[in-house]
Amino acid sequence: MLKKLALVAVAAGVLAAVRKRTSGSTEADLWHEATRGPGAVSTPTVR
């Protein structure tokens, strides 16, 4: 019983890590889209 519980916990951790990684790349894609092209938002310049 304890082995099954541990296996479920590991699987849940892996699933959470994969979902977090996927959402991170989606956020980066949205940022790239928002800051590039003719309809881009203004971005501060680094000096």
Side-chain angles (χ1 to χ4, degrees):
M1 181 67 178
L2 191 56
K3 286 183 181 181
K4 287 183 182 181
L5 188 59
L7 183 61
V8 169
V10 169
V14 170
L15 180 61
V18 169
R19 292 185 71 187
K20 184 175 182 180
R21 183 176 178 190
T22 302
S23 68
S25 65
T26 303
E27 187 174 322
D29 292 342
L30 289 174
W31 177 254
H32 179 77
E33 183 180 332
T35 58
R36 305 288 187 278
V41 296
S42 62
T43 56
T45 56
V46 178
R47 293 185 176 188

